[in-house]
Amino acid sequence: MSLGVAARLLVQRRFAPLMTAQALGAFNDNLFRFALVNLATFQGLTIFGLERELMVPIAATALTLPIFLFSAVAGQVADKYDRTFIMRRAKFIEIFLMMAAAAGFFLNSGLLLVLTLFLMGMQSAFFAPARNSALPTLLQGRELVTGNALVSGTLNVAILTGAALAVVFVVREDAARVLSLTLIGVAVIGWLVMWLNSPAPAAAQDLKISWNIITETVRVLGFAFQAPDVLRPLLGAAWFWMLAASVLTLMPLFTAAVLGGDETVGLALTALFTVGAAVGALLCGLFTRGQDALIFTVLGAFGLVIFPSFVALTTLGWPEPDPANLASADIFLANPENWPILGALALSAVSAGLFVVPLQAMAQRRAKPEVRGRILAAGGIMNAATASLGQFTLAAIALLSLPLQAAFGYIAVVSGLAGLFALWRMMRPGRYTA
């Protein structure tokens, strides 16, 4: 049973430290990023006198741009050196980055904070392919889906916790001190935890690393496109990250302009989506047996057709709310008329979690060991690209003069196509699945 597999993995050195260090890193990334965004939005933090409307996308880009730039090199490193060794070094560097972040908060220096965020993105670019390529080395084949589910579930919880605490911390009088102590303390704990993890040897130790970013990015993407059985799940996972970015970008305006809720409702719905995705991932890990998990991707995809469509169609005829009289979270949640929308959003998130976990495991299993780090780094590049595209959802809707519900319709259409393709692949003779 996968419940037994999960319980076993949670107490073993070959997995538990990696999962914990990953979650702690995600917490720090999001605590720092959302603290910076909130300071720029509400307290006037800026660089070169830029308006807050520019500071927010600059902060988002500062974290994702290094993934474009350095994932190809990081994939080579993950194929040449022990993956656990790489993750330990990355966590050690994180401590110094958090010290730089602390200096930025105390000095109220937007430039130092943005530069540190860029370096954090670089650190993440090296950690991610090492982690992803380590999992098939550290776990047995029948454990891979469950392991990915646990990583995804704890990752989502860490992201939500970091984002929520950022909102709480930045309004305190001692915000700089609290943020600094938390960021540095979590980084130190993550580094110490990573020392407990079992080694994860690389399969191409004679590889000569090229530092030409442009050439290697093209080459790494070429590895993925030359392995279509790996490329397909990588593209499916990239769609998940675009979906998540689209929803999280859309949610605040959808809350105010359609649902009539204030920022507390937006925060509640963001929390609902994040926790729902974590629940979906964990359910997939608990109920899958052995290697056959593609059915969960199919179920998740069709869930992403049904529930977003329900949200779009149900709210399409709603009257436009009064911007001066938006409901707070307690009032919004107390109204039974809003419960079907809340339920549909929650089930959409659960469906997204079910959708992505088997694809992650499938890509890890199918990638050849000697190029696994580079192929999975290509997945990181695609994830960053699609997440960045997802952040422009609102701009596209505005340019096309579409209602906000169009975003949910788009999610339903693309998810339906992905589900039909996965179902076709699953029913083909001679198939093999995650």
Side-chain angles (χ1 to χ4, degrees), residues 337-378:
E337 294 182 1
N338 294 323
W339 293 353
I341 298 298
L342 294 172
L345 289 172
L347 290 171
S348 297
V350 172
S351 299
L354 289 172
F355 175 84
V356 72
V357 168
L359 299 176
Q360 293 171 331
M362 189 184 301
Q364 291 165 359
R365 180 181 295 112
R366 292 180 176 182
K368 294 180 180 179
E370 61 273 15
V371 294
R372 182 176 287 145
R374 281 164 285 180
I375 288 184
L376 297 180

Short mmCIF file of all heavy atoms in Angstrom, two decimals, residues 337-378:
data_model
loop_
_atom_site.label_atom_id
_atom_site.label_comp_id
_atom_site.label_asym_id
_atom_site.label_seq_id
_atom_site.Cartn_x
_atom_site.Cartn_y
_atom_site.Cartn_z
N GLU A 337 -24.41 31.22 -0.53
CA GLU A 337 -24.41 31.33 -1.99
C GLU A 337 -22.99 31.24 -2.56
O GLU A 337 -22.82 30.91 -3.75
CB GLU A 337 -25.07 32.65 -2.41
CG GLU A 337 -26.55 32.72 -2.09
CD GLU A 337 -27.17 34.02 -2.57
OE1 GLU A 337 -26.44 34.84 -3.17
OE2 GLU A 337 -28.38 34.22 -2.35
N ASN A 338 -22.00 31.56 -1.75
CA ASN A 338 -20.62 31.50 -2.22
C ASN A 338 -19.98 30.11 -2.07
O ASN A 338 -18.91 29.87 -2.64
CB ASN A 338 -19.77 32.52 -1.45
CG ASN A 338 -20.17 33.95 -1.73
OD1 ASN A 338 -20.52 34.28 -2.86
ND2 ASN A 338 -20.14 34.80 -0.71
N TRP A 339 -20.62 29.23 -1.35
CA TRP A 339 -20.00 27.93 -1.07
C TRP A 339 -19.78 27.08 -2.32
O TRP A 339 -18.74 26.40 -2.42
CB TRP A 339 -20.83 27.17 -0.05
CG TRP A 339 -20.84 27.82 1.31
CD1 TRP A 339 -20.10 28.90 1.71
CD2 TRP A 339 -21.64 27.45 2.43
NE1 TRP A 339 -20.37 29.23 3.02
CE2 TRP A 339 -21.31 28.37 3.50
CE3 TRP A 339 -22.59 26.47 2.68
CZ2 TRP A 339 -21.92 28.30 4.75
CZ3 TRP A 339 -23.17 26.38 3.93
CH2 TRP A 339 -22.85 27.28 4.94
N PRO A 340 -20.70 27.05 -3.28
CA PRO A 340 -20.41 26.27 -4.50
C PRO A 340 -19.17 26.75 -5.23
O PRO A 340 -18.39 25.93 -5.76
CB PRO A 340 -21.67 26.47 -5.36
CG PRO A 340 -22.76 26.78 -4.37
CD PRO A 340 -22.09 27.58 -3.30
N ILE A 341 -18.93 28.07 -5.27
CA ILE A 341 -17.73 28.59 -5.91
C ILE A 341 -16.49 28.16 -5.14
O ILE A 341 -15.48 27.75 -5.73
CB ILE A 341 -17.79 30.13 -6.01
CG1 ILE A 341 -18.99 30.55 -6.86
CG2 ILE A 341 -16.50 30.69 -6.59
CD1 ILE A 341 -18.93 30.06 -8.29
N LEU A 342 -16.56 28.26 -3.82
CA LEU A 342 -15.43 27.83 -3.00
C LEU A 342 -15.14 26.34 -3.22
O LEU A 342 -13.98 25.94 -3.34
CB LEU A 342 -15.74 28.09 -1.52
CG LEU A 342 -15.85 29.56 -1.10
CD1 LEU A 342 -16.34 29.66 0.35
CD2 LEU A 342 -14.52 30.25 -1.25
N GLY A 343 -16.20 25.55 -3.26
CA GLY A 343 -16.01 24.11 -3.48
C GLY A 343 -15.39 23.82 -4.84
O GLY A 343 -14.49 22.97 -4.96
N ALA A 344 -15.85 24.53 -5.88
CA ALA A 344 -15.31 24.31 -7.22
C ALA A 344 -13.85 24.73 -7.30
O ALA A 344 -13.03 24.05 -7.94
CB ALA A 344 -16.15 25.07 -8.25
N LEU A 345 -13.50 25.85 -6.67
CA LEU A 345 -12.10 26.28 -6.66
C LEU A 345 -11.22 25.28 -5.91
O LEU A 345 -10.11 24.96 -6.35
CB LEU A 345 -11.98 27.66 -6.04
CG LEU A 345 -12.53 28.83 -6.88
CD1 LEU A 345 -12.55 30.12 -6.06
CD2 LEU A 345 -11.70 29.02 -8.14
N ALA A 346 -11.72 24.78 -4.79
CA ALA A 346 -10.96 23.80 -4.03
C ALA A 346 -10.75 22.52 -4.83
O ALA A 346 -9.64 21.96 -4.87
CB ALA A 346 -11.67 23.49 -2.70
N LEU A 347 -11.80 22.05 -5.48
CA LEU A 347 -11.68 20.81 -6.27
C LEU A 347 -10.83 21.02 -7.52
O LEU A 347 -10.19 20.09 -8.00
CB LEU A 347 -13.08 20.31 -6.64
CG LEU A 347 -13.89 19.77 -5.45
CD1 LEU A 347 -15.33 19.48 -5.86
CD2 LEU A 347 -13.24 18.49 -4.89
N SER A 348 -10.82 22.24 -8.06
CA SER A 348 -9.91 22.55 -9.16
C SER A 348 -8.46 22.38 -8.71
O SER A 348 -7.62 21.82 -9.43
CB SER A 348 -10.12 23.99 -9.65
OG SER A 348 -11.42 24.17 -10.18
N ALA A 349 -8.17 22.87 -7.51
CA ALA A 349 -6.80 22.76 -6.99
C ALA A 349 -6.43 21.32 -6.71
O ALA A 349 -5.31 20.88 -7.01
CB ALA A 349 -6.68 23.60 -5.72
N VAL A 350 -7.35 20.55 -6.14
CA VAL A 350 -7.09 19.13 -5.90
C VAL A 350 -6.81 18.42 -7.23
O VAL A 350 -5.90 17.59 -7.33
CB VAL A 350 -8.28 18.47 -5.17
CG1 VAL A 350 -8.12 16.96 -5.10
CG2 VAL A 350 -8.42 19.05 -3.76
N SER A 351 -7.59 18.75 -8.23
CA SER A 351 -7.39 18.16 -9.56
C SER A 351 -6.02 18.50 -10.12
O SER A 351 -5.36 17.66 -10.73
CB SER A 351 -8.48 18.64 -10.52
OG SER A 351 -9.77 18.27 -10.07
N ALA A 352 -5.57 19.75 -9.90
CA ALA A 352 -4.24 20.15 -10.37
C ALA A 352 -3.15 19.33 -9.70
O ALA A 352 -2.18 18.91 -10.33
CB ALA A 352 -4.02 21.64 -10.11
N GLY A 353 -3.30 19.08 -8.39
CA GLY A 353 -2.33 18.25 -7.69
C GLY A 353 -2.31 16.82 -8.19
O GLY A 353 -1.24 16.22 -8.35
N LEU A 354 -3.48 16.27 -8.46
CA LEU A 354 -3.55 14.92 -9.03
C LEU A 354 -2.90 14.86 -10.41
O LEU A 354 -2.26 13.88 -10.77
CB LEU A 354 -5.02 14.48 -9.14
CG LEU A 354 -5.78 14.16 -7.87
CD1 LEU A 354 -7.25 13.93 -8.18
CD2 LEU A 354 -5.20 12.93 -7.19
N PHE A 355 -3.07 15.94 -11.16
CA PHE A 355 -2.61 15.99 -12.55
C PHE A 355 -1.09 15.92 -12.64
O PHE A 355 -0.53 15.19 -13.48
CB PHE A 355 -3.13 17.28 -13.20
CG PHE A 355 -2.64 17.53 -14.59
CD1 PHE A 355 -3.27 16.95 -15.68
CD2 PHE A 355 -1.54 18.34 -14.83
CE1 PHE A 355 -2.82 17.18 -16.97
CE2 PHE A 355 -1.09 18.58 -16.11
CZ PHE A 355 -1.73 18.00 -17.18
N VAL A 356 -0.37 16.65 -11.79
CA VAL A 356 1.06 16.87 -12.04
C VAL A 356 1.96 15.80 -11.47
O VAL A 356 3.02 15.50 -12.04
CB VAL A 356 1.47 18.26 -11.50
CG1 VAL A 356 1.50 18.29 -9.97
CG2 VAL A 356 2.81 18.68 -12.07
N VAL A 357 1.60 15.16 -10.35
CA VAL A 357 2.53 14.26 -9.67
C VAL A 357 2.95 13.07 -10.55
O VAL A 357 4.15 12.77 -10.66
CB VAL A 357 1.95 13.79 -8.33
CG1 VAL A 357 2.76 12.63 -7.76
CG2 VAL A 357 1.94 14.95 -7.34
N PRO A 358 2.02 12.35 -11.20
CA PRO A 358 2.46 11.24 -12.04
C PRO A 358 3.37 11.68 -13.19
O PRO A 358 4.27 10.93 -13.59
CB PRO A 358 1.15 10.66 -12.59
CG PRO A 358 0.11 11.10 -11.62
CD PRO A 358 0.56 12.45 -11.16
N LEU A 359 3.16 12.89 -13.70
CA LEU A 359 4.00 13.39 -14.79
C LEU A 359 5.43 13.63 -14.32
O LEU A 359 6.39 13.33 -15.04
CB LEU A 359 3.39 14.67 -15.37
CG LEU A 359 1.99 14.54 -15.96
CD1 LEU A 359 1.48 15.91 -16.41
CD2 LEU A 359 1.98 13.57 -17.14
N GLN A 360 5.59 14.18 -13.12
CA GLN A 360 6.92 14.39 -12.57
C GLN A 360 7.65 13.07 -12.42
O GLN A 360 8.83 12.94 -12.80
CB GLN A 360 6.82 15.11 -11.23
CG GLN A 360 6.31 16.54 -11.33
CD GLN A 360 6.01 17.14 -9.97
OE1 GLN A 360 5.67 16.44 -9.02
NE2 GLN A 360 6.13 18.45 -9.87
N ALA A 361 6.97 12.07 -11.86
CA ALA A 361 7.59 10.76 -11.67
C ALA A 361 7.92 10.10 -13.00
O ALA A 361 8.95 9.45 -13.16
CB ALA A 361 6.67 9.87 -10.83
N MET A 362 7.03 10.26 -13.97
CA MET A 362 7.23 9.67 -15.29
C MET A 362 8.49 10.22 -15.96
O MET A 362 9.30 9.48 -16.50
CB MET A 362 6.00 9.94 -16.16
CG MET A 362 5.98 9.18 -17.49
SD MET A 362 4.54 9.68 -18.49
CE MET A 362 3.21 9.24 -17.39
N ALA A 363 8.65 11.55 -15.90
CA ALA A 363 9.83 12.16 -16.51
C ALA A 363 11.10 11.69 -15.82
O ALA A 363 12.11 11.40 -16.49
CB ALA A 363 9.72 13.68 -16.44
N GLN A 364 11.09 11.61 -14.51
CA GLN A 364 12.27 11.17 -13.77
C GLN A 364 12.63 9.72 -14.11
O GLN A 364 13.81 9.40 -14.29
CB GLN A 364 12.02 11.30 -12.27
CG GLN A 364 11.92 12.74 -11.79
CD GLN A 364 11.32 12.85 -10.42
OE1 GLN A 364 10.95 11.86 -9.80
NE2 GLN A 364 11.21 14.08 -9.92
N ARG A 365 11.63 8.87 -14.22
CA ARG A 365 11.90 7.46 -14.49
C ARG A 365 12.39 7.25 -15.92
O ARG A 365 13.29 6.45 -16.18
CB ARG A 365 10.65 6.62 -14.25
CG ARG A 365 10.86 5.13 -14.51
CD ARG A 365 9.60 4.31 -14.28
NE ARG A 365 9.22 4.34 -12.87
CZ ARG A 365 8.14 4.95 -12.41
NH1 ARG A 365 7.35 5.61 -13.23
NH2 ARG A 365 7.86 4.93 -11.13
N ARG A 366 11.81 7.96 -16.86
CA ARG A 366 12.12 7.70 -18.27
C ARG A 366 13.44 8.32 -18.73
O ARG A 366 14.03 7.87 -19.70
CB ARG A 366 10.97 8.25 -19.15
CG ARG A 366 9.68 7.49 -18.99
CD ARG A 366 8.58 8.09 -19.88
NE ARG A 366 7.36 7.32 -19.83
CZ ARG A 366 6.27 7.60 -20.53
NH1 ARG A 366 6.27 8.66 -21.32
NH2 ARG A 366 5.20 6.85 -20.43
N ALA A 367 13.90 9.37 -18.05
CA ALA A 367 15.14 10.03 -18.47
C ALA A 367 16.33 9.09 -18.25
O ALA A 367 16.45 8.46 -17.20
CB ALA A 367 15.34 11.31 -17.68
N LYS A 368 17.20 8.99 -19.23
CA LYS A 368 18.38 8.13 -19.10
C LYS A 368 19.28 8.66 -17.99
O LYS A 368 19.51 9.87 -17.89
CB LYS A 368 19.14 8.09 -20.42
CG LYS A 368 18.36 7.42 -21.55
CD LYS A 368 19.18 7.41 -22.84
CE LYS A 368 18.40 6.72 -23.96
NZ LYS A 368 19.16 6.72 -25.24
N PRO A 369 19.83 7.78 -17.16
CA PRO A 369 20.61 8.23 -16.00
C PRO A 369 21.76 9.16 -16.35
O PRO A 369 22.02 10.12 -15.62
CB PRO A 369 21.13 6.91 -15.40
CG PRO A 369 20.14 5.88 -15.83
CD PRO A 369 19.67 6.31 -17.19
N GLU A 370 22.43 8.92 -17.49
CA GLU A 370 23.62 9.73 -17.81
C GLU A 370 23.27 11.15 -18.25
O GLU A 370 24.14 12.03 -18.26
CB GLU A 370 24.45 9.04 -18.89
CG GLU A 370 23.75 8.84 -20.22
CD GLU A 370 22.96 7.54 -20.30
OE1 GLU A 370 22.71 6.94 -19.23
OE2 GLU A 370 22.60 7.13 -21.41
N VAL A 371 22.01 11.40 -18.63
CA VAL A 371 21.60 12.77 -19.01
C VAL A 371 20.40 13.24 -18.19
O VAL A 371 19.78 14.24 -18.53
CB VAL A 371 21.26 12.84 -20.53
CG1 VAL A 371 22.48 12.60 -21.37
CG2 VAL A 371 20.14 11.87 -20.89
N ARG A 372 20.10 12.53 -17.12
CA ARG A 372 18.89 12.84 -16.35
C ARG A 372 18.90 14.26 -15.81
O ARG A 372 17.89 14.97 -15.87
CB ARG A 372 18.75 11.84 -15.21
CG ARG A 372 17.48 12.04 -14.37
CD ARG A 372 17.36 10.96 -13.33
NE ARG A 372 16.99 9.69 -13.92
CZ ARG A 372 17.43 8.50 -13.49
NH1 ARG A 372 18.29 8.44 -12.48
NH2 ARG A 372 17.04 7.38 -14.08
N GLY A 373 20.02 14.70 -15.26
CA GLY A 373 20.08 16.05 -14.71
C GLY A 373 19.80 17.10 -15.75
O GLY A 373 19.07 18.07 -15.50
N ARG A 374 20.36 16.93 -16.96
CA ARG A 374 20.17 17.93 -18.01
C ARG A 374 18.75 17.91 -18.56
O ARG A 374 18.16 18.97 -18.83
CB ARG A 374 21.20 17.69 -19.13
CG ARG A 374 22.59 18.22 -18.79
CD ARG A 374 23.66 17.66 -19.69
NE ARG A 374 23.98 16.26 -19.33
CZ ARG A 374 24.88 15.53 -19.96
NH1 ARG A 374 25.54 16.03 -21.00
NH2 ARG A 374 25.13 14.30 -19.57
N ILE A 375 18.17 16.73 -18.71
CA ILE A 375 16.80 16.67 -19.22
C ILE A 375 15.83 17.29 -18.21
O ILE A 375 14.93 18.05 -18.59
CB ILE A 375 16.41 15.22 -19.55
CG1 ILE A 375 17.14 14.75 -20.81
CG2 ILE A 375 14.90 15.09 -19.74
CD1 ILE A 375 16.76 13.37 -21.26
N LEU A 376 16.02 16.98 -16.94
CA LEU A 376 15.13 17.55 -15.93
C LEU A 376 15.39 19.05 -15.76
O LEU A 376 14.47 19.80 -15.40
CB LEU A 376 15.29 16.81 -14.61
CG LEU A 376 14.90 15.32 -14.66
CD1 LEU A 376 15.10 14.66 -13.31
CD2 LEU A 376 13.46 15.15 -15.14
N ALA A 377 16.61 19.49 -16.02
CA ALA A 377 16.87 20.93 -16.04
C ALA A 377 16.11 21.60 -17.18
O ALA A 377 15.63 22.73 -17.04
CB ALA A 377 18.37 21.19 -16.17
N ALA A 378 15.98 20.90 -18.31
CA ALA A 378 15.16 21.43 -19.40
C ALA A 378 13.72 21.60 -18.94
O ALA A 378 13.04 22.57 -19.32
CB ALA A 378 15.22 20.49 -20.61
#
